[in-house]
Amino acid sequence: MKTNLLNIDGVIVLSRESQCKITGQAGVDLSLCGCSCSGSVTGPKYCEDYIACPQVYTC
């Protein structure tokens, strides 16, 4: 399978050193997500896809 990927135009093999220099994120900041006192997920809309809150949450 590796050889098939290398046949795609623009694909190169990265060295370990090059891989260590890659920075970034998936674009989802889960630190913005939370739970309200009523047990609802708070934060951006995508938070509902990543976290769940207990139905009864004590503040």
Side-chain angles (χ1 to χ4, degrees), residues 4-40:
N4 291 339
L5 290 174
L6 295 177
N7 291 333
I8 300 172
D9 289 337
V11 173
I12 59 170
V13 177
L14 296 176
S15 67
R16 282 192 185 271
E17 185 177 303
S18 297
Q19 291 176 25
C20 291
K21 293 180 183 178
I22 296 173
T23 59
Q25 61 181 7
V28 177
D29 187 1
L30 295 179
S31 68
L32 300 174
C33 303
C35 297
S36 69
C37 292
S38 64
S40 300

